[in-house]
Amino acid sequence: MSQKKALAALSRREALLLAAGATMVAAGGIVLTGSRANADAKMIDEALVKLIGDTKPVDGKITLDLPQIAENGNTVPIGVSVDSPMTADNYVKAVHLFADGNPTPAVASLYFTPMSGKAEASTRMRMAGTQNVVAVAEMSDGKVFRASQEVKVTIGGCGG
Amino acid sequence: MKFFWRDITLAVATLSVAVGVGASSANAADWGPYQVEDRRSGYTYMTDESRAMQVDTFQNPGMLWVEEGADLWTTVDGKAGKSCSTCHGDAAESMKGIGARYPVVDEGMGKLKNVEQQINSCRGKNMEAAPYKWESKEMLSLTSYVNHQSLGLPVSVKVDGAAAPFFEKGKAFYYERRGQLDMSCSQCHEDNAGNMVRANILSEGQINGFPTYRLKWQKPGSTHRRFRGCNKQVRSTPFGYGSDEYVNLELYVKWRGRGLPVETPAVRN
Amino acid sequence: MASNVKPRVRVPGKAAKGEIVEIKTLISHNMESGRRKGKDGKLIPRSIINKFEVTFNGKSVFSSDWQPAISANPYMSIFAKVDESGEFAFKWTDDGGSIYEKTSKITVS
């Protein structure tokens, strides 16, 4: 094979490689869609009943700090804070975190005390794909609040 | 056949437009020390969250290995009854600059050696201890600790004199097409840096932050682990850890990032 | 990685009475989820840190139950209101029952 021919063949292979990538983007978007979800809202409800009983959560009080798009599903930073004076008779007892697209929805339960000073924590979590993160806060007076946010998780380009 | 670079460029352009995200921050002009002339650290290709994880030395998970390395530094091992610190004292003094200037030519061996090989050479000759395995927790910890002593120092490797022939071999490897996909390092990391490969931005493939904590690996890995990954990705048989091919390549790739700060332990996707 | 687990904590050395201080923690652990397959194709058994607790002078400040969805080398930051000098104690418990502990003193003026 002449040098010139060889180069042409190689370039074509490369072009196909890149074109394949482009097709995938056109067809599937750049992120995993929620269709791969393993858990669902119902599973979260069931898990919640186990943790806190039948009280229906209402929206509010909770602020979630999550990236809109996560670079890698292995390590997604998450911050959660709940609006509360955190005094002996008015504080946040617990915050339960869920991810509705993970094989099991529960992520962590955080138990605060008035000594926490602030009902705020941050950690890093695993996400099996694009999905909703749900936080449910139990207050000392028995009220329950809820918040959720979608995080898109990108598919890796290169392995290694 | 009319599939040429124009088509490739189009495909890449489509990808870039389709995606756009994440790249937004890449438009920011001022990368501070993370850019030298036209050379940009992999740091500049990451999301804000991952960058924050790196620069907060407490949050940075790679620091767990650096701390482990600090313990190993003073741990006596081998028949000679020595630790690293027996000969080298305070690493903050004695190891400063190592991460910026290695690999270097070893006169005795008549070839290049990198930090991992230097560690094992010391362990053998001076400590009379068994060598660490590549990618073992001990090796990653000690290389992380040693390279971390150069944090922020500009990469500056010697590529002339005795190093010249090895540098040339590394450069040749960098531009040589290989594997079933028949691709060279340069095609991704030089010609297409900043473009998308599927959903990721291709970086310049700089190695100023190794051992690097990769989110994908969930632990740190060596430069040679990354080289092996790239080689497998183009469906070529990877070379061995510590092979001459990879140490030569390490010198060339390190030189590509001359002036960039040592970031060990960097956090990358 | 039950062996050689290394906890790190960062607590300010000093604080004013009643101040709310930030506490950061990190611990080296694979957090093996139980859903990953090894080279032999078999599932690697779950092995995670499942509990993290913080006390101050013996009183509970914060505790947390962790699931396999917490990332490897777990990081957690929290807050604490300090009214007196004393010692924070941090305790991580894994599936095998191993306990990893660290303490940190704070002076309140």
Side-chain angles (χ1 to χ4, degrees):
Chain A
M1 207 189 278
S2 76
Q3 182 75 11
K4 202 175 167 190
K5 258 188 189 162
L7 278 173
L10 308 176
S11 299
R12 189 183 77 224
R13 210 179 272 159
E14 242 169 52
L16 288 171
L17 187 73
L18 284 164
T23 314
M24 280 205 56
V25 167
I30 53 147
V31 292
L32 292 172
T33 53
S35 59
R36 224 177 63 140
N38 293 294
D40 56 25
K42 198 168 150 243
M43 278 174 79
I44 293 182
D45 288 345
E46 286 167 8
L48 255 185
V49 169
K50 269 191 209 154
L51 286 163
I52 62 168
D54 285 332
T55 316
K56 282 270 169 285
V58 294
D59 287 347
K61 296 266 189 195
I62 305 172
T63 308
L64 279 169
D65 183 10
L66 282 159
Q68 285 188 312
I69 297 173
E71 198 149 34
N72 189 298
N74 276 339
T75 314
V76 184
I78 171 175
V80 61
S81 65
V82 188
D83 181 18
S84 161
M86 296 302 277
T87 55
D89 48 8
N90 184 1
Y91 66 98
V92 181
K93 276 166 63 186
V95 173
H96 308 285
L97 299 173
F98 303 94
D100 69 4
N102 276 356
T104 49
V107 174
S109 290
L110 319 172
Y111 300 96
F112 297 94
T113 69
M115 278 176 74
S116 302
K118 272 198 233 185
E120 185 175 334
S122 59
T123 185
R124 299 168 188 153
M125 61 183 284
R126 292 170 168 150
M127 301 186 73
T130 294
Q131 55 184 297
N132 296 303
V133 173
V134 180
V136 175
E138 281 181 80
M139 315 302 268
S140 56
D141 63 3
K143 289 197 177 112
V144 179
F145 295 92
R146 181 186 184 281
S148 75
Q149 188 185 319
E150 190 193 48
V151 176
K152 292 180 176 10
V153 177
T154 52
I155 322 169
C158 259
Chain B
M1 272 295 178
K2 278 265 172 195
F3 270 117
F4 259 108
W5 277 107
R6 197 174 59 97
D7 307 68
I8 296 166
T9 315
L10 270 174
V12 168
T14 313
L15 283 167
S16 305
V17 170
V19 177
V21 294
S24 58
S25 49
N27 297 329
D30 185 15
W31 286 113
Y34 298 99
Q35 174 162 15
V36 174
E37 294 165 2
D38 59 348
R39 304 185 287 281
R40 272 168 49 191
S41 160
Y43 177 89
T44 68
Y45 292 89
M46 304 289 294
T47 60
D48 293 345
E49 290 81 17
S50 303
R51 281 199 290 267
M53 205 184 293
Q54 175 178 321
V55 296
D56 179 339
T57 51
F58 189 84
Q59 273 201 51
N60 185 332
M63 289 303 290
L64 289 164
W65 277 258
V66 171
E67 285 200 347
E68 183 70 30
D71 288 350
L72 289 173
W73 184 258
T74 54
T75 304
V76 172
D77 195 7
K79 290 188 194 129
K82 291 178 182 172
S83 69
C84 306
S85 64
T86 310
C87 295
H88 299 289
D90 182 4
E93 289 285 324
S94 61
M95 293 297 114
K96 193 175 178 182
I98 295 292
R101 66 182 180 86
Y102 266 58
V104 296
V105 172
D106 182 300
E107 305 288 349
M109 295 197 303
K111 57 183 187 178
L112 292 176
K113 70 180 167 198
N114 66 8
V115 173
E116 286 89 340
Q117 289 166 327
Q118 179 66 65
I119 288 170
N120 270 345
S121 162
C122 267
R123 287 181 63 78
K125 280 186 208 155
N126 304 322
M127 296 168 71
E128 296 174 49
Y132 286 146
K133 286 196 177 114
W134 283 75
E135 303 309 293
S136 64
K137 184 167 187 190
E138 290 77 14
M139 184 60 105
L140 288 169
S141 298
L142 201 51
T143 41
S144 295
Y145 179 64
V146 168
N147 287 353
H148 183 65
Q149 306 310 317
S150 304
L151 184 70
L153 293 181
V155 166
S156 173
V157 283
K158 192 167 163 46
V159 298
D160 57 0
F166 305 105
F167 176 76
E168 289 306 325
K169 280 182 194 163
K171 183 178 181 180
F173 187 107
Y174 190 81
Y175 287 100
E176 196 179 356
R177 291 171 175 237
R178 64 189 68 252
Q180 286 180 319
L181 299 188
D182 206 45
M183 288 176 75
S184 68
C185 309
S186 66
Q187 285 173 297
C188 280
H189 298 294
E190 198 168 274
D191 304 343
N192 280 299
N195 290 329
M196 307 295 294
V197 54
R198 295 179 71 197
N200 285 151
I201 305 175
L202 278 167
S203 78
E204 293 162 25
Q206 301 291 2
I207 56 170
N208 52 315
F210 277 85
T212 284
Y213 189 96
R214 274 191 85 196
L215 303 180
K216 176 194 162 74
W217 293 336
Q218 303 185 64
K219 61 180 285 201
S222 70
T223 312
H224 291 201
R225 180 175 180 189
R226 194 67 192 84
F227 288 166
R228 286 170 61 87
C230 275
N231 277 174
K232 286 184 211 164
Q233 207 64 30
V234 298
R235 317 272 189 273
S236 97
T237 308
F239 290 89
Y241 290 103
S243 58
D244 292 349
E245 287 83 358
Y246 279 172
V247 184
N248 294 340
L249 179 64
E250 188 178 336
L251 178 63
Y252 179 72
V253 177
K254 196 97 173 249
W255 173 83
R256 285 187 77 236
R258 60 203 177 281
L260 292 175
V262 173
E263 291 175 38
T264 310
V267 174
R268 298 286 185 266
N269 183 18
Chain C
M1 189 167 54
S3 64
N4 230 345
V5 169
K6 206 176 183 77
R8 289 180 98 200
V9 300
R10 182 181 285 173
V11 178
K14 290 179 202 163
K17 187 174 159 60
E19 193 179 333
I20 297 171
V21 296
E22 186 175 23
I23 294 169
K24 293 179 175 182
T25 70
L26 187 65
I27 186 164
S28 59
H29 199 285
N30 283 350
M31 296 295 279
E32 197 59 62
S33 68
R35 295 184 172 273
R36 232 161 47 99
K37 283 179 181 164
K39 281 184 179 148
D40 57 3
K42 288 184 187 145
L43 280 180
I44 303 169
R46 175 184 136 154
S47 172
I48 67 165
I49 291 175
N50 58 49
K51 203 165 192 57
F52 168 60
E53 295 158 281
V54 184
T55 58
F56 182 66
N57 290 344
K59 286 173 280 189
S60 174
V61 174
F62 174 85
S63 71
S64 182
D65 294 330
W66 293 352
Q67 303 294 333
I70 294 294
S71 303
N73 306 311
Y75 169 79
M76 189 161 269
S77 74
I78 58 155
F79 289 87
K81 185 163 176 272
V82 285
D83 290 322
E84 55 181 350
S85 297
E87 188 175 77
F88 282 100
F90 303 87
K91 183 173 151 190
W92 294 260
T93 309
D94 73 15
D95 284 347
S98 296
I99 289 169
Y100 314 103
E101 290 176 293
K102 188 112 179 168
T103 56
S104 189
K105 285 192 168 67
I106 186 167
T107 307
V108 171
S109 50

